[in-house]
Amino acid sequence: DADVTQTPRNRITKTGKRIMLECSQTKGHDRMYWYRQDPGLGLRLIYYSFDVKDINKGEISDGYSVSRQAQAKFSLSLESAIPNQTALYFCATSQRESADTQYFGPGTRLTVL
Amino acid sequence: AQRVTQPEKLLSVFKGAPVELKCNYSYSGSPELFWYVQYSRQRLQLLLRHISRESIKGFTADLNKGETSFHLKKPFAQEEDSAMYYCAPAFTGGGNKLTFGTGTQLKVEL
């Protein structure tokens, strides 16, 4: 769905560097999410935001931080990247209603050397 | 604790054969249940949502509350069904966030 975009699509960085992944959406959804996908582990929730002033930790938030700059933008930061943060990162959005369908971005492949 | 289990990492079937992708969850309540699919080089997308009871691309899923299962089924597999499938219950409390299973890679062979 082109309404949810992620930048960059691919990134290679070195241990200790600060990295920011960005997500933008034009769907007008209030809820936004960051997941990481690892082989054999599925998708795990890092952070989620139900609106601009409501940000919550997911199951694996250590080593990550987020910023909800506007309804349409939700950024994920790795303050000091480490190799085990090498993964595919997905942003998703959903409506305010409970358990509504989530719409995913194309993913960002991050490699930390 | 709330948990979702997809016991098969890889399921290989022949074209035209029936498919069943297993999903079990542990939860005392009644979660909203979803299946998401990720085709090669495409983004994750909704395949099926229990509450709507739709049949998408020939797939169906029946909720078995007694066994707490939500297996995905299709009577005749097609080559284009090859993909990664995720079961994703939304447990009530904590905003009904999705909890994704570890996924099952379905490979349909000719």
Side-chain angles (χ1 to χ4, degrees):
Chain A
D1 192 322
D3 294 340
V4 184
T5 57
Q6 292 182 233
T7 56
R9 295 293 309 280
N10 288 283
R11 181 72 184 267
I12 300 174
T13 191
K14 295 182 179 179
T15 297
K17 294 291 187 180
R18 184 178 187 275
I19 295 295
M20 178 181 285
L21 309 183
E22 298 185 330
C23 177
S24 294
Q25 53 111 349
T26 58
K27 299 187 76 67
H29 289 170
D30 288 313
R31 299 185 169 193
M32 297 186 75
Y33 310 81
W34 275 106
Y35 296 90
R36 65 177 280 176
Q37 183 183 45
D38 298 276
L41 297 178
L43 274 77
R44 294 180 291 167
L45 183 63
I46 306 172
Y47 269 94
Y48 61 101
S49 171
F50 284 169
D51 64 42
V52 176
K53 295 182 180 180
D54 182 9
I55 294 177
N56 305 277
K57 292 182 178 180
E59 62 179 296
I60 55 162
S61 60
D62 287 349
Y64 301 94
S65 62
V66 290
S67 173
R68 186 81 184 266
Q69 300 95 322
Q71 185 201 39
K73 295 185 182 297
F74 193 36
S75 300
L76 176 72
S77 293
L78 287 67
E79 296 301 325
S80 180
I82 56 176
N84 76 358
Q85 291 178 313
T86 293
L88 190 55
Y89 290 84
F90 287 102
C91 172
T93 73
S94 70
Q95 292 272 29
R96 181 178 293 277
E97 289 78 17
S98 64
D100 202 13
T101 302
Q102 290 191 15
Y103 296 86
F104 285 80
T108 294
R109 186 167 296 281
L110 177 66
T111 303
V112 183
L113 301 176
Chain B
Q2 303 156 351
R3 208 166 58 196
V4 55
T5 303
Q6 292 182 251
E8 304 132 332
K9 286 189 175 181
L10 174 66
L11 182 63
S12 185
V13 301
F14 286 106
K15 180 181 176 180
V19 175
E20 182 178 68
L21 302 172
K22 293 184 168 55
C23 173
N24 291 89
Y25 62 90
S26 58
Y27 182 58
S28 58
S30 297
E32 179 58 58
L33 293 154
F34 300 81
W35 277 94
Y36 280 78
V37 61
Q38 188 176 26
Y39 299 104
S40 179
R41 291 185 292 278
Q42 294 187 27
R43 62 185 73 194
L44 208 69
Q45 60 186 284
L46 178 70
L47 176 67
L48 185 147
R49 181 175 181 177
H50 173 251
I51 194 170
S52 66
R53 304 195 70 79
E54 295 178 47
S55 174
I56 309 297
K57 299 188 178 185
F59 284 96
T60 59
D62 291 323
L63 171 61
N64 185 321
K65 290 187 176 181
E67 296 180 359
T68 58
S69 68
F70 190 55
H71 302 330
L72 184 69
K73 300 178 182 180
K74 185 170 183 177
F76 307 104
Q78 302 299 315
E79 190 179 1
E80 57 266 27
D81 296 328
S82 294
M84 178 69 85
Y85 292 82
Y86 292 98
C87 179
F91 300 115
T92 56
N96 292 311
K97 303 182 301 299
L98 295 178
T99 299
F100 284 85
T102 52
T104 297
Q105 180 73 47
L106 175 64
K107 182 178 180 182
V108 180
E109 300 184 71
L110 299 176

